[in-house]
PDB file of all heavy atoms in Angstrom:
ATOM      1  N   ASP F  15      43.515 140.308 102.638  1.00 95.00           N
ATOM      2  CA  ASP F  15      42.447 141.043 101.883  1.00 95.00           C
ATOM      3  C   ASP F  15      42.126 142.390 102.639  1.00 95.00           C
ATOM      4  O   ASP F  15      41.191 143.127 102.348  1.00 95.00           O
ATOM      5  CB  ASP F  15      41.137 140.246 101.758  1.00 95.00           C
ATOM      6  CG  ASP F  15      40.654 139.709 103.086  1.00 95.00           C
ATOM      7  OD1 ASP F  15      41.276 139.887 104.133  1.00 95.00           O
ATOM      8  OD2 ASP F  15      39.457 139.167 103.202  1.00 95.00           O
ATOM      9  N   ARG F  16      42.938 142.746 103.722  1.00 97.00           N
ATOM     10  CA  ARG F  16      42.633 143.952 104.461  1.00 97.00           C
ATOM     11  C   ARG F  16      43.448 145.109 103.768  1.00 97.00           C
ATOM     12  O   ARG F  16      44.450 145.036 103.145  1.00 97.00           O
ATOM     13  CB  ARG F  16      43.233 143.803 105.866  1.00 97.00           C
ATOM     14  CG  ARG F  16      42.421 142.749 106.756  1.00 97.00           C
ATOM     15  CD  ARG F  16      41.308 143.372 107.547  1.00 97.00           C
ATOM     16  NE  ARG F  16      41.698 144.411 108.332  1.00 97.00           N
ATOM     17  CZ  ARG F  16      42.124 144.274 109.620  1.00 97.00           C
ATOM     18  NH1 ARG F  16      42.309 143.084 110.210  1.00 97.00           N
ATOM     19  NH2 ARG F  16      42.444 145.425 110.309  1.00 97.00           N
ATOM     20  N   ILE F  17      42.669 146.290 103.760  1.00 97.00           N
ATOM     21  CA  ILE F  17      43.315 147.521 103.310  1.00 97.00           C
ATOM     22  C   ILE F  17      44.483 147.923 104.225  1.00 97.00           C
ATOM     23  O   ILE F  17      44.265 148.037 105.491  1.00 97.00           O
ATOM     24  CB  ILE F  17      42.308 148.704 103.172  1.00 97.00           C
ATOM     25  CG1 ILE F  17      41.368 148.184 101.952  1.00 97.00           C
ATOM     26  CG2 ILE F  17      43.021 149.926 102.643  1.00 97.00           C
ATOM     27  CD1 ILE F  17      40.228 149.172 101.800  1.00 97.00           C
ATOM     28  N   ILE F  18      45.676 148.326 103.746  1.00 97.00           N
ATOM     29  CA  ILE F  18      46.755 148.478 104.543  1.00 97.00           C
ATOM     30  C   ILE F  18      46.597 149.693 105.621  1.00 97.00           C
ATOM     31  O   ILE F  18      46.930 149.615 106.697  1.00 97.00           O
ATOM     32  CB  ILE F  18      48.027 148.857 103.735  1.00 97.00           C
ATOM     33  CG1 ILE F  18      48.390 147.660 102.941  1.00 97.00           C
ATOM     34  CG2 ILE F  18      49.214 149.339 104.507  1.00 97.00           C
ATOM     35  CD1 ILE F  18      49.508 147.801 101.853  1.00 97.00           C
ATOM     36  N   LYS F  19      45.915 150.659 105.167  1.00 96.00           N
ATOM     37  CA  LYS F  19      45.661 151.788 106.166  1.00 96.00           C
ATOM     38  C   LYS F  19      44.822 151.418 107.333  1.00 96.00           C
ATOM     39  O   LYS F  19      44.893 152.173 108.336  1.00 96.00           O
ATOM     40  CB  LYS F  19      45.205 153.032 105.469  1.00 96.00           C
ATOM     41  CG  LYS F  19      43.743 152.904 104.892  1.00 96.00           C
ATOM     42  CD  LYS F  19      43.221 154.125 104.291  1.00 96.00           C
ATOM     43  CE  LYS F  19      41.810 153.998 103.671  1.00 96.00           C
ATOM     44  NZ  LYS F  19      41.467 155.222 102.902  1.00 96.00           N
ATOM     45  N   HIS F  20      44.183 150.359 107.328  1.00 96.00           N
ATOM     46  CA  HIS F  20      43.360 149.932 108.422  1.00 96.00           C
ATOM     47  C   HIS F  20      44.081 148.954 109.369  1.00 96.00           C
ATOM     48  O   HIS F  20      43.551 148.512 110.314  1.00 96.00           O
ATOM     49  CB  HIS F  20      42.078 149.204 107.887  1.00 96.00           C
ATOM     50  CG  HIS F  20      41.095 150.191 107.158  1.00 96.00           C
ATOM     51  ND1 HIS F  20      40.301 149.680 106.194  1.00 96.00           N
ATOM     52  CD2 HIS F  20      40.976 151.514 107.291  1.00 96.00           C
ATOM     53  CE1 HIS F  20      39.669 150.825 105.657  1.00 96.00           C
ATOM     54  NE2 HIS F  20      40.055 151.876 106.312  1.00 96.00           N
ATOM     55  N   LEU F  21      45.293 148.644 109.001  1.00 94.00           N
ATOM     56  CA  LEU F  21      46.108 147.702 109.915  1.00 94.00           C
ATOM     57  C   LEU F  21      46.824 148.427 110.965  1.00 94.00           C
ATOM     58  O   LEU F  21      47.062 149.709 110.906  1.00 94.00           O
ATOM     59  CB  LEU F  21      47.195 147.054 108.919  1.00 94.00           C
ATOM     60  CG  LEU F  21      46.684 146.103 107.806  1.00 94.00           C
ATOM     61  CD1 LEU F  21      47.863 145.614 107.019  1.00 94.00           C
ATOM     62  CD2 LEU F  21      45.918 144.978 108.396  1.00 94.00           C
ATOM     63  N   SER F  22      47.144 147.715 111.991  1.00 90.00           N
ATOM     64  CA  SER F  22      47.999 148.226 113.144  1.00 90.00           C
ATOM     65  C   SER F  22      49.358 148.605 112.652  1.00 90.00           C
ATOM     66  O   SER F  22      49.812 148.024 111.603  1.00 90.00           O
ATOM     67  CB  SER F  22      47.941 147.337 114.204  1.00 90.00           C
ATOM     68  OG  SER F  22      48.760 146.127 113.885  1.00 90.00           O
ATOM     69  N   LYS F  23      50.077 149.319 113.429  1.00 88.00           N
ATOM     70  CA  LYS F  23      51.523 149.632 113.073  1.00 88.00           C
ATOM     71  C   LYS F  23      52.275 148.408 112.903  1.00 88.00           C
ATOM     72  O   LYS F  23      53.157 148.288 112.119  1.00 88.00           O
ATOM     73  CB  LYS F  23      52.047 150.615 114.095  1.00 88.00           C
ATOM     74  CG  LYS F  23      53.500 151.137 113.792  1.00 88.00           C
ATOM     75  CD  LYS F  23      53.963 152.159 114.758  1.00 88.00           C
ATOM     76  CE  LYS F  23      55.324 152.588 114.340  1.00 88.00           C
ATOM     77  NZ  LYS F  23      55.912 153.648 115.332  1.00 88.00           N
ATOM     78  N   GLY F  24      52.089 147.436 113.871  1.00 88.00           N
ATOM     79  CA  GLY F  24      52.832 146.222 113.775  1.00 88.00           C
ATOM     80  C   GLY F  24      52.588 145.433 112.519  1.00 88.00           C
ATOM     81  O   GLY F  24      53.598 144.893 111.964  1.00 88.00           O
ATOM     82  N   TYR F  25      51.328 145.406 112.103  1.00 92.00           N
ATOM     83  CA  TYR F  25      51.060 144.687 110.875  1.00 92.00           C
ATOM     84  C   TYR F  25      51.648 145.377 109.587  1.00 92.00           C
ATOM     85  O   TYR F  25      52.134 144.840 108.678  1.00 92.00           O
ATOM     86  CB  TYR F  25      49.545 144.472 110.688  1.00 92.00           C
ATOM     87  CG  TYR F  25      49.115 143.192 111.280  1.00 92.00           C
ATOM     88  CD1 TYR F  25      48.329 143.143 112.419  1.00 92.00           C
ATOM     89  CD2 TYR F  25      49.432 141.921 110.623  1.00 92.00           C
ATOM     90  CE1 TYR F  25      47.849 141.870 112.959  1.00 92.00           C
ATOM     91  CE2 TYR F  25      48.995 140.664 111.263  1.00 92.00           C
ATOM     92  CZ  TYR F  25      48.189 140.761 112.389  1.00 92.00           C
ATOM     93  OH  TYR F  25      47.867 139.562 112.918  1.00 92.00           O
ATOM     94  N   ARG F  26      51.563 146.753 109.625  1.00 93.00           N
ATOM     95  CA  ARG F  26      52.139 147.481 108.532  1.00 93.00           C
ATOM     96  C   ARG F  26      53.651 147.229 108.467  1.00 93.00           C
ATOM     97  O   ARG F  26      54.295 147.129 107.323  1.00 93.00           O
ATOM     98  CB  ARG F  26      51.831 149.004 108.710  1.00 93.00           C
ATOM     99  CG  ARG F  26      50.376 149.324 108.534  1.00 93.00           C
ATOM    100  CD  ARG F  26      50.216 150.859 108.192  1.00 93.00           C
ATOM    101  NE  ARG F  26      50.736 151.644 109.292  1.00 93.00           N
ATOM    102  CZ  ARG F  26      49.991 152.063 110.396  1.00 93.00           C
ATOM    103  NH1 ARG F  26      48.701 151.733 110.392  1.00 93.00           N
ATOM    104  NH2 ARG F  26      50.473 152.807 111.305  1.00 93.00           N
ATOM    105  N   GLN F  27      54.251 147.172 109.700  1.00 92.00           N
ATOM    106  CA  GLN F  27      55.733 146.860 109.673  1.00 92.00           C
ATOM    107  C   GLN F  27      56.023 145.446 108.998  1.00 92.00           C
ATOM    108  O   GLN F  27      56.937 145.250 108.340  1.00 92.00           O
ATOM    109  CB  GLN F  27      56.251 146.784 111.117  1.00 92.00           C
ATOM    110  CG  GLN F  27      57.753 146.824 111.283  1.00 92.00           C
ATOM    111  CD  GLN F  27      58.330 148.285 110.934  1.00 92.00           C
ATOM    112  OE1 GLN F  27      57.617 149.159 110.688  1.00 92.00           O
ATOM    113  NE2 GLN F  27      59.662 148.319 110.894  1.00 92.00           N
ATOM    114  N   ARG F  28      55.079 144.495 109.293  1.00 92.00           N
ATOM    115  CA  ARG F  28      55.272 143.143 108.700  1.00 92.00           C
ATOM    116  C   ARG F  28      55.093 143.221 107.107  1.00 92.00           C
ATOM    117  O   ARG F  28      55.754 142.460 106.458  1.00 92.00           O
ATOM    118  CB  ARG F  28      54.265 142.221 109.312  1.00 92.00           C
ATOM    119  CG  ARG F  28      54.441 141.903 110.744  1.00 92.00           C
ATOM    120  CD  ARG F  28      53.641 140.681 111.100  1.00 92.00           C
ATOM    121  NE  ARG F  28      53.177 140.641 112.452  1.00 92.00           N
ATOM    122  CZ  ARG F  28      52.594 139.678 113.009  1.00 92.00           C
ATOM    123  NH1 ARG F  28      52.260 138.501 112.337  1.00 92.00           N
ATOM    124  NH2 ARG F  28      52.199 139.668 114.260  1.00 92.00           N
ATOM    125  N   VAL F  29      54.169 144.018 106.746  1.00 96.00           N
ATOM    126  CA  VAL F  29      53.970 144.200 105.245  1.00 96.00           C
ATOM    127  C   VAL F  29      55.258 144.739 104.626  1.00 96.00           C
ATOM    128  O   VAL F  29      55.708 144.336 103.520  1.00 96.00           O
ATOM    129  CB  VAL F  29      52.755 145.109 104.965  1.00 96.00           C
ATOM    130  CG1 VAL F  29      52.622 145.285 103.431  1.00 96.00           C
ATOM    131  CG2 VAL F  29      51.503 144.419 105.572  1.00 96.00           C
ATOM    132  N   GLY F  30      55.833 145.793 105.265  1.00 95.00           N
ATOM    133  CA  GLY F  30      57.042 146.366 104.780  1.00 95.00           C
ATOM    134  C   GLY F  30      58.213 145.248 104.799  1.00 95.00           C
ATOM    135  O   GLY F  30      58.976 145.243 103.785  1.00 95.00           O
ATOM    136  N   PHE F  31      58.206 144.428 105.744  1.00 95.00           N
ATOM    137  CA  PHE F  31      59.282 143.356 105.748  1.00 95.00           C
ATOM    138  C   PHE F  31      59.049 142.334 104.611  1.00 95.00           C
ATOM    139  O   PHE F  31      59.867 141.880 103.884  1.00 95.00           O
ATOM    140  CB  PHE F  31      59.160 142.636 107.184  1.00 95.00           C
ATOM    141  CG  PHE F  31      60.411 141.771 107.364  1.00 95.00           C
ATOM    142  CD1 PHE F  31      61.616 142.029 106.762  1.00 95.00           C
ATOM    143  CD2 PHE F  31      60.328 140.870 108.371  1.00 95.00           C
ATOM    144  CE1 PHE F  31      62.702 141.178 106.998  1.00 95.00           C
ATOM    145  CE2 PHE F  31      61.462 140.040 108.650  1.00 95.00           C
ATOM    146  CZ  PHE F  31      62.614 140.231 107.943  1.00 95.00           C
ATOM    147  N   ALA F  32      57.711 142.020 104.444  1.00 96.00           N
ATOM    148  CA  ALA F  32      57.391 141.121 103.353  1.00 96.00           C
ATOM    149  C   ALA F  32      57.925 141.570 101.952  1.00 96.00           C
ATOM    150  O   ALA F  32      58.479 140.863 101.147  1.00 96.00           O
ATOM    151  CB  ALA F  32      55.838 140.926 103.295  1.00 96.00           C
ATOM    152  N   GLN F  33      57.685 142.945 101.664  1.00 96.00           N
ATOM    153  CA  GLN F  33      58.166 143.453 100.355  1.00 96.00           C
ATOM    154  C   GLN F  33      59.641 143.410 100.266  1.00 96.00           C
ATOM    155  O   GLN F  33      60.231 143.185  99.178  1.00 96.00           O
ATOM    156  CB  GLN F  33      57.695 144.952 100.128  1.00 96.00           C
ATOM    157  CG  GLN F  33      58.170 145.980 101.016  1.00 96.00           C
ATOM    158  CD  GLN F  33      59.491 146.480 100.658  1.00 96.00           C
ATOM    159  OE1 GLN F  33      59.932 146.350  99.424  1.00 96.00           O
ATOM    160  NE2 GLN F  33      60.253 146.920 101.621  1.00 96.00           N
ATOM    161  N   ALA F  34      60.409 143.517 101.266  1.00 96.00           N
ATOM    162  CA  ALA F  34      61.859 143.474 101.358  1.00 96.00           C
ATOM    163  C   ALA F  34      62.220 142.121 101.053  1.00 96.00           C
ATOM    164  O   ALA F  34      63.255 141.833 100.413  1.00 96.00           O
ATOM    165  CB  ALA F  34      62.453 143.864 102.721  1.00 96.00           C
ATOM    166  N   LEU F  35      61.403 141.064 101.403  1.00 96.00           N
ATOM    167  CA  LEU F  35      61.840 139.687 101.177  1.00 96.00           C
ATOM    168  C   LEU F  35      61.443 139.173  99.761  1.00 96.00           C
ATOM    169  O   LEU F  35      61.927 138.105  99.380  1.00 96.00           O
ATOM    170  CB  LEU F  35      61.149 138.715 102.190  1.00 96.00           C
ATOM    171  CG  LEU F  35      61.732 138.880 103.654  1.00 96.00           C
ATOM    172  CD1 LEU F  35      60.710 138.108 104.574  1.00 96.00           C
ATOM    173  CD2 LEU F  35      63.041 138.301 103.676  1.00 96.00           C
ATOM    174  N   LEU F  36      60.637 139.901  98.985  1.00 97.00           N
ATOM    175  CA  LEU F  36      60.227 139.405  97.679  1.00 97.00           C
ATOM    176  C   LEU F  36      61.506 139.169  96.800  1.00 97.00           C
ATOM    177  O   LEU F  36      62.297 139.951  96.613  1.00 97.00           O
ATOM    178  CB  LEU F  36      59.350 140.535  97.005  1.00 97.00           C
ATOM    179  CG  LEU F  36      57.992 140.713  97.598  1.00 97.00           C
ATOM    180  CD1 LEU F  36      57.297 141.960  96.946  1.00 97.00           C
ATOM    181  CD2 LEU F  36      57.038 139.403  97.354  1.00 97.00           C
ATOM    182  N   GLY F  37      61.456 137.966  96.290  1.00 96.00           N
ATOM    183  CA  GLY F  37      62.593 137.598  95.353  1.00 96.00           C
ATOM    184  C   GLY F  37      63.729 136.953  96.165  1.00 96.00           C
ATOM    185  O   GLY F  37      64.762 136.531  95.553  1.00 96.00           O
ATOM    186  N   TYR F  38      63.638 136.947  97.450  1.00 95.00           N
ATOM    187  CA  TYR F  38      64.664 136.425  98.411  1.00 95.00           C
ATOM    188  C   TYR F  38      65.956 137.062  97.916  1.00 95.00           C
ATOM    189  O   TYR F  38      66.953 136.263  97.573  1.00 95.00           O
ATOM    190  CB  TYR F  38      64.741 134.940  98.328  1.00 95.00           C
ATOM    191  CG  TYR F  38      63.484 134.248  98.902  1.00 95.00           C
ATOM    192  CD1 TYR F  38      62.890 133.204  98.266  1.00 95.00           C
ATOM    193  CD2 TYR F  38      63.021 134.709 100.186  1.00 95.00           C
ATOM    194  CE1 TYR F  38      61.786 132.574  98.812  1.00 95.00           C
ATOM    195  CE2 TYR F  38      61.822 134.127 100.733  1.00 95.00           C
ATOM    196  CZ  TYR F  38      61.353 133.024  99.980  1.00 95.00           C
ATOM    197  OH  TYR F  38      60.190 132.446 100.553  1.00 95.00           O
ATOM    198  N   PRO F  39      66.214 138.414  98.037  1.00 96.00           N
ATOM    199  CA  PRO F  39      67.566 138.954  97.757  1.00 96.00           C
ATOM    200  C   PRO F  39      68.599 138.551  98.683  1.00 96.00           C
ATOM    201  O   PRO F  39      68.213 138.345  99.879  1.00 96.00           O
ATOM    202  CB  PRO F  39      67.163 140.440  97.866  1.00 96.00           C
ATOM    203  CG  PRO F  39      66.049 140.601  98.760  1.00 96.00           C
ATOM    204  CD  PRO F  39      65.196 139.379  98.471  1.00 96.00           C
ATOM    205  N   PRO F  40      69.798 138.348  98.258  1.00 95.00           N
ATOM    206  CA  PRO F  40      70.805 137.901  99.141  1.00 95.00           C
ATOM    207  C   PRO F  40      71.240 138.875 100.172  1.00 95.00           C
ATOM    208  O   PRO F  40      71.822 138.498 101.242  1.00 95.00           O
ATOM    209  CB  PRO F  40      72.093 137.667  98.218  1.00 95.00           C
ATOM    210  CG  PRO F  40      71.847 138.384  97.015  1.00 95.00           C
ATOM    211  CD  PRO F  40      70.227 138.492  96.811  1.00 95.00           C
ATOM    212  N   VAL F  41      70.954 140.101 100.038  1.00 96.00           N
ATOM    213  CA  VAL F  41      71.255 141.169 101.037  1.00 96.00           C
ATOM    214  C   VAL F  41      69.973 141.765 101.582  1.00 96.00           C
ATOM    215  O   VAL F  41      69.107 142.253 100.734  1.00 96.00           O
ATOM    216  CB  VAL F  41      72.163 142.344 100.428  1.00 96.00           C
ATOM    217  CG1 VAL F  41      72.335 143.521 101.441  1.00 96.00           C
ATOM    218  CG2 VAL F  41      73.447 141.722  99.936  1.00 96.00           C
ATOM    219  N   LEU F  42      69.802 141.871 102.941  1.00 96.00           N
ATOM    220  CA  LEU F  42      68.634 142.507 103.586  1.00 96.00           C
ATOM    221  C   LEU F  42      69.200 143.647 104.388  1.00 96.00           C
ATOM    222  O   LEU F  42      70.087 143.435 105.217  1.00 96.00           O
ATOM    223  CB  LEU F  42      67.971 141.401 104.355  1.00 96.00           C
ATOM    224  CG  LEU F  42      67.240 140.275 103.607  1.00 96.00           C
ATOM    225  CD1 LEU F  42      66.656 139.327 104.580  1.00 96.00           C
ATOM    226  CD2 LEU F  42      66.093 140.833 102.686  1.00 96.00           C
ATOM    227  N   ILE F  43      68.613 144.846 104.282  1.00 96.00           N
ATOM    228  CA  ILE F  43      68.931 145.953 105.072  1.00 96.00           C
ATOM    229  C   ILE F  43      67.590 146.411 105.772  1.00 96.00           C
ATOM    230  O   ILE F  43      66.695 146.763 105.167  1.00 96.00           O
ATOM    231  CB  ILE F  43      69.522 147.173 104.218  1.00 96.00           C
ATOM    232  CG1 ILE F  43      70.705 146.638 103.455  1.00 96.00           C
ATOM    233  CG2 ILE F  43      69.785 148.304 104.998  1.00 96.00           C
ATOM    234  CD1 ILE F  43      71.350 147.606 102.535  1.00 96.00           C
TER     235      ILE F  43
END
């Protein structure tokens, strides 16, 4: 429930990783 701009760089990186995993695509870059 936190606004993304208020997160640390590490947490923002995790959010980016989470969006890459959505749908469990067979290829991750």
